[in-house]
Amino acid sequence: METVFITGGAGFIGSRLTGLLAQRYRVVAYDSLLPQVHGGNPDNRARFEAAGGKLIKGDVRDRAALQDALAQVAPAIVVHLASETGTGQSYDFVGRYCEVNVGGTANLVEAIRAVGSVRRVLLASSRAVYGEGACVGPDGRPAAAVERRPADIAVGDYAPHDATGLRLNPVPTDAVTCPVAPASIYASTKLMQEFLLRQAFWGTPVGVGVLRMQNVFGEGQSLNNPYTGVLSIFVRQIQEGLALRLYEDGNAVRDFIHVDDVARAFLALAEVPQLPERAIDIGSGETVSLLDVSRRLLAMLGAAPDRFEITGEFRPGDIRHAVADISAARTMLGWRPQVSLEAGLQRLVEWSRVPAV
Ligand SMILES: NC(=O)c1ccc[n+]([C@@H]2O[C@H](COP(=O)([O-])OP(=O)(O)OC[C@H]3O[C@@H](n4cnc5c(N)ncnc54)[C@H](O)[C@@H]3O)[C@@H](O)[C@H]2O)c1
């Protein structure tokens, strides 16, 4: 039986992936059990252990410990999930984000080179690397969106614009056609992870696979961590009797993909005979506004339908419109999303009602 080594394997996505892999592989996670992620949320670690995963507690910043762990395990496949993940928080902890996300990936490269057993390394990247994402101009031709400007926002124009100020229309984003333009420290570190892995293993027998994921949601995503998972944050706020605060006019849109679908995408990437050389976009391929999804959660949790506030506020680095073009995932991985937004929200809400042990 081959071994899969998952950095960050005891987390939200990693524990789900372990459940899928464990029937066919030996799974070892290397995870620091970050208190911000695991504190008050034992479910993911418990899920990981129940699936038979073996945990090596360690930090990707610790180069020697990471090398030792890989040498002990001699995996055939490495899945790199360990990261600092909060976009907003990344502005305040630039050094830590770079040390964990960039330095940790560099350490992983060296450990993989040293062990010599690895044939495939898979990375959890993010749609954040695109910034605003793919857009077309009024003539329908692709156009590059720049970061949104306070002057447009001030007059209630939240749409993306090009560098000349022309208003653009967002379209589904595909890695081959949409240029990268990270708009946050977090996004820059995720893009750097992609570059490091591709460049380090270019022309070697180690294949590199990259998934750029939209907003992943579902049961297990911490309700206590204020920095990640907008739907978990909304659920928590509704349960605490707070009004949901929606930025801009509430009509920013997102593409939410359930964590089980993301785990299936990693499994497909681990096993596809020909590893795609391009990054693969993973999402539902469908959009929902934050206002709409808030209303659905309020209804599911039995809260007053108007318990939200549209603040008009703009957070620098926030994007307006996120949706994946998932055709490459369909054709190259044979993958498609299977959990609808409605079913996924229902599962998240049910889980949120069960007190953590
Ligand atoms: N959840 C999303 O919406 C989303 C979207 C796009 C990309 N991603 C990427 O997917 C990956 C997994 O995300 P997740 O949602 O499962 O997050 P998560 O926080 O639940 O899991 C990350 C795991 O990494 C561990 N970890 C953090 N820092 C570490 C370190 N220095 N050394 C070792 N382990 C460390 C944590 O303890 C945690 O178990 C991340 O790389 C993230 O950037 C997530």
Side-chain angles (χ1 to χ4, degrees), residues 108-122:
L108 185 63
V109 163
E110 292 181 2
I112 290 172
R113 283 179 172 170
V115 71
S117 61
V118 178
R119 57 179 171 80
R120 211 167 256 203
V121 52
L122 313 181

Side-chain angles (χ1 to χ4, degrees), residues 8 10-14 30-34 37-38 58-61 81-83 85 100 124-126 186 190 213-216 221:
F12 175 47
I13 295 172
Y30 182 87
D31 195 306
S32 64
L33 302 177
L34 201 66
V37 174
H38 293 271
D59 195 305
V60 290
R61 288 171 292 187
L81 304 181
S83 270
T85 61
V100 173
S125 186
S126 167
Y186 167 70
K190 294 306 288 183
M213 299 173 300
Q214 300 278 327
N215 284 51
V216 186
Q221 192 163 37

